[in-house]
Amino acid sequence: MEVYSNLSLQILNNNKDIKYYYDEYLSFNNSISNKIKIIHIDYYFKPIFEIKLLKHFLEKFKDSSELYLITNNLNNFQVINQGNLLLNLIQSYKLTYISLESVLGTSYMEDCSIKNLKEFQFPYNYIQQKKLKDLYNKIYANNKLPKIKVICVDFDNTLFEGVIGELDSIDDVFKNSAPIFYIFHQFLKKIKQSGVLLCLVTKNNQSEIELFFKKNKTPLKLEDFIIIESNWDKKSINIDKISNQLNLDTNTFLFIDDSDFELEEVRSNIPGIRTIKFIKDFKYFKEQFLNNSLFNKKNITAEDLNKTSLYKEEFKRKSQFKKTNLIDDKFNLDLFKLLKIELDFKINNDIDLERVSQMSEKTNQFNLNKLELTKEDLLKLIKQGYNIYTCNSKDKYGDYGVIGYMIFNKSNQIFNYVISCRALSRHIEFKFLDYCIKKQKIKNDLTIFFKKTKRNQPANLFLNLLKEYYGEKNKIIRIKNVN
């Protein structure tokens, strides 16, 4: 992780006329990861600031890094007519913005160290330094953890003010709730549009939940929730059930509830799940949700926008699987025919680089060696002579979108092969490989790189099946294990 002040931006722009320097005091274990870039600008002590330098910096790192801007309340920059310009940059480059006042307090300037400022050009006292270091630690920790894929949210006193089972009438109760509930709905709606799945986990009658959304005008609608578990079981049991239905690990789940008891029950029974308590306080809400790097998502793909619909279509497929007596077929060709699957392939400059980069980061189960690749990395590979293929799929229930990619190195070996878990076990992984082998003109001998991880057992099983699948076609499969 690297921390830059506005001074750093000037140095990067080869401007040597510098009077102030405090980056060395803000530096934070730079050897950990250069993917995280934090830009720290304090208007009160560092008025040397040019918007074009910040833009130059953002342009340089926008495709390869997670970018954070820690600075004063944007209104302060209106003094130099740059508040709106900064806001535009935050939106354009999808920066995670954190105000200094929210970290150090609104009157932090009064407590700054004049001695440090004069002697070291560093304005912060010991307590303020610790708060900043704690913030950097939090940013780093959030980036180390798996991205949030599912939010399970409570209902009573979380999505509206009150307890639905105690109301005489449900009509228009939402409009009488505090404004923070409306803001929370908007927040969840925005998160859903970035590709996170929303689930409702509540101890209520489902009929009352359905009636609430029917009788109240709310930003969130019932259909925004992919799964609703409304019963009196332990919430940890319902969350485990959701995890199994979605085939997603609970370490990618976030649970939000207003009850300390429910939060503790879930944490105790589901190790690794993240939780946030909902409190009816805007300052707290801003810190926990609006300014939380946990919800930072730089690039949103078409699959993200459609994620809830894609999963609902998948539920329909699984429902048909249960009703249909399929012949025992280890290669799932019958399922491929039953679903009437159609595939479309693209290569190199025609592929969706954003989606491939996203899959390299998020896909774990069918990922032969878990190489995380940025858009910039992918372009370099293509320039070096690697071939990158993608596979789009659709069937009679809907369009899966881009569900896989394969990379061949210059020696015509499979450098990596990735398939989304929602497209597995329906013969697609074999059809995609057949196509790529034909295009690469590989006749008899195929080498595949493989790195075993804690979570890619499905990929390992596929490789074992592959030897049998291609054995019938007289092809030799060589698995090259890598560390």
Side-chain angles (χ1 to χ4, degrees):
M1 182 158 65
E2 297 171 356
V3 182
Y4 297 83
S5 75
N6 46 326
L7 167 71
S8 304
L9 308 185
Q10 294 179 55
I11 291 173
L12 285 172
N13 206 43
N14 299 318
N15 184 342
K16 302 299 183 184
D17 185 20
I18 304 298
K19 294 180 181 177
Y20 303 96
Y21 187 78
Y22 59 78
D23 292 64
E24 61 182 290
Y25 298 97
L26 289 174
S27 64
F28 181 84
N29 214 352
N30 288 356
S31 63
I32 293 178
S33 168
N34 60 7
K35 186 180 179 183
I36 306 167
K37 309 272 191 242
I38 297 175
I39 305 146
H40 181 113
I41 299 169
D42 193 329
Y43 171 78
Y44 294 107
F45 299 102
K46 300 285 292 179
I48 304 170
F49 174 69
E50 294 181 43
I51 202 84
K52 66 178 182 181
L53 297 182
L54 177 56
K55 189 172 182 179
H56 173 75
F57 178 89
L58 297 175
E59 197 63 35
K60 182 176 180 180
F61 293 109
K62 67 178 181 179
D63 292 325
S64 60
S65 302
E66 296 291 337
L67 298 169
Y68 295 80
L69 177 63
I70 301 173
T71 189
N72 311 97
N73 189 303
L74 296 183
N75 292 334
N76 295 317
F77 287 90
Q78 297 293 10
V79 178
I80 52 175
N81 299 316
Q82 292 191 320
N84 289 335
L85 293 173
L86 265 178
L87 181 60
N88 289 337
L89 283 186
I90 289 168
Q91 294 170 343
S92 299
Y93 290 91
K94 298 181 173 65
L95 299 176
T96 298
Y97 160 66
I98 302 171
S99 76
L100 267 169
E101 288 84 354
S102 70
V103 180
L104 302 178
T106 54
S107 59
Y108 76 91
M109 300 80 66
E110 299 170 9
D111 301 320
C112 284
S113 172
I114 302 301
K115 179 182 177 182
N116 283 355
L117 184 60
K118 286 183 177 179
E119 292 186 12
F120 309 111
Q121 289 77 52
F122 182 73
Y124 307 111
N125 64 32
Y126 174 77
I127 295 173
Q128 291 169 333
Q129 290 177 51
K130 186 177 184 306
K131 286 181 178 179
L132 289 170
K133 294 285 185 178
D134 288 345
L135 173 64
Y136 300 156
N137 267 315
K138 188 175 180 181
I139 290 172
Y140 173 63
N142 281 344
N143 275 273
K144 269 185 67 179
L145 292 169
K147 298 292 184 186
I148 294 295
K149 296 181 180 180
V150 182
I151 293 179
C152 294
V153 62
D154 177 40
F155 184 69
D156 295 332
N157 284 312
T158 305
L159 288 184
F160 90 108
E161 192 167 17
V163 178
I164 199 167
E166 297 176 358
L167 298 176
D168 295 328
S169 172
I170 294 174
D171 294 2
D172 294 327
V173 293
F174 184 74
K175 89 178 168 184
N176 296 321
S177 297
I180 193 69
F181 293 94
Y182 188 90
I183 295 169
F184 187 43
H185 274 239
Q186 289 181 316
F187 170 80
L188 289 175
K189 191 90 170 181
K190 185 177 179 182
I191 291 294
K192 180 216 168 196
Q193 289 166 350
S194 73
V196 175
L197 301 171
L198 299 183
C199 298
L200 197 56
V201 179
T202 176
K203 292 180 177 178
N204 278 301
N205 292 316
Q206 182 152 334
S207 58
E208 291 180 321
I209 300 296
E210 292 171 357
L211 192 60
F212 170 87
F213 283 101
K214 185 178 179 180
K215 297 281 189 178
N216 289 269
K217 292 181 179 179
T218 56
L220 279 174
K221 306 301 178 189
L222 195 66
E223 56 267 25
D224 288 320
F225 297 96
I226 189 164
I227 297 174
I228 297 172
E229 291 294 342
S230 186
N231 53 55
W232 278 264
D233 287 340
K234 287 182 179 179
K235 292 193 176 182
S236 60
I237 292 174
N238 283 320
I239 291 172
D240 272 331
K241 196 188 299 182
I242 291 169
S243 172
N244 292 330
Q245 283 181 269
L246 297 176
N247 193 27
L248 293 172
D249 288 343
T250 50
N251 66 357
T252 65
F253 279 49
L254 171 69
F255 175 54
I256 303 170
D257 201 302
D258 68 298
S259 165
D260 288 319
F261 171 81
E262 298 292 0
L263 292 166
E264 185 59 35
E265 188 276 319
V266 167
R267 282 194 296 265
S268 298
N269 290 296
I270 308 179
I273 193 170
R274 279 161 278 183
T275 63
I276 296 179
K277 183 177 181 180
F278 182 86
I279 294 177
K280 193 178 66 173
D281 176 80
F282 183 71
K283 185 178 179 182
Y284 170 88
F285 180 85
K286 191 175 180 182
E287 178 186 339
Q288 292 295 321
F289 295 99
L290 301 182
N291 291 339
N292 193 335
S293 57
L294 191 65
F295 302 108
N296 179 48
K297 186 153 190 178
K298 192 167 63 167
N299 298 312
I300 298 174
T301 65
E303 278 75 15
D304 290 329
L305 295 172
N306 257 345
K307 187 66 67 68
T308 298
S309 297
L310 290 170
Y311 269 89
K312 286 182 177 179
E313 289 166 2
E314 186 61 16
F315 291 158
K316 291 178 184 176
R317 294 182 187 100
K318 288 181 178 178
S319 177
Q320 179 170 1
F321 299 166
K322 291 177 182 177
K323 296 175 185 176
T324 307
N325 292 320
L326 293 170
I327 300 170
D328 185 18
D329 173 16
K330 68 182 77 173
F331 304 127
N332 297 301
L333 184 57
D334 290 330
L335 199 53
F336 187 88
K337 294 174 181 176
L338 174 70
L339 294 173
K340 298 180 181 177
I341 293 175
E342 298 176 25
L343 303 178
D344 181 45
F345 309 104
K346 291 182 170 55
I347 183 173
N348 292 344
N349 295 327
D350 292 329
I351 68 176
D352 183 344
L353 293 170
E354 297 284 7
R355 172 61 177 158
V356 173
S357 175
Q358 183 188 63
M359 288 189 70
S360 76
E361 180 185 351
K362 294 175 67 175
T363 307
N364 296 296
Q365 295 182 355
F366 194 104
N367 191 328
L368 294 195
N369 48 52
K370 196 51 186 172
L371 290 168
E372 293 192 12
L373 301 165
T374 65
K375 183 178 175 181
E376 196 176 52
D377 294 332
L378 294 165
L379 288 170
K380 283 180 183 176
L381 289 177
I382 294 170
K383 193 173 181 181
Q384 289 168 8
Y386 286 61
N387 279 336
I388 305 176
Y389 294 85
T390 61
C391 177
N392 288 59
S393 177
K394 63 181 179 179
D395 62 20
K396 62 184 181 181
Y397 290 106
D399 195 330
Y400 295 74
V402 179
I403 50 84
Y405 69 89
M406 199 179 312
I407 303 176
F408 285 84
N409 63 19
K410 291 183 284 187
S411 300
N412 218 7
Q413 302 165 320
I414 295 181
F415 184 60
N416 200 16
Y417 186 15
V418 175
I419 294 279
S420 171
C421 61
R422 61 188 161 86
L424 286 179
S425 302
R426 50 203 75 181
H427 197 71
I428 293 172
E429 56 267 46
F430 295 98
K431 287 284 188 184
F432 186 19
L433 185 55
D434 283 341
Y435 173 85
C436 292
I437 286 174
K438 185 177 179 181
K439 283 294 179 180
Q440 291 292 123
K441 298 180 180 178
I442 296 172
K443 293 185 178 179
N444 300 314
D445 202 331
L446 176 66
T447 299
I448 303 173
F449 287 85
F450 177 69
K451 178 181 179 180
K452 189 174 182 180
T453 68
K454 291 179 180 179
R455 302 173 66 189
N456 69 348
Q457 181 64 12
N460 195 18
L461 292 172
F462 167 75
L463 292 178
N464 292 330
L465 268 180
L466 204 57
K467 292 176 182 178
E468 186 178 345
Y469 179 75
Y470 280 127
E472 300 170 2
K473 302 183 182 184
N474 297 317
K475 290 189 187 296
I476 299 170
I477 305 297
R478 303 183 192 275
I479 309 301
K480 189 171 182 179
N481 291 303
V482 293
N483 296 323

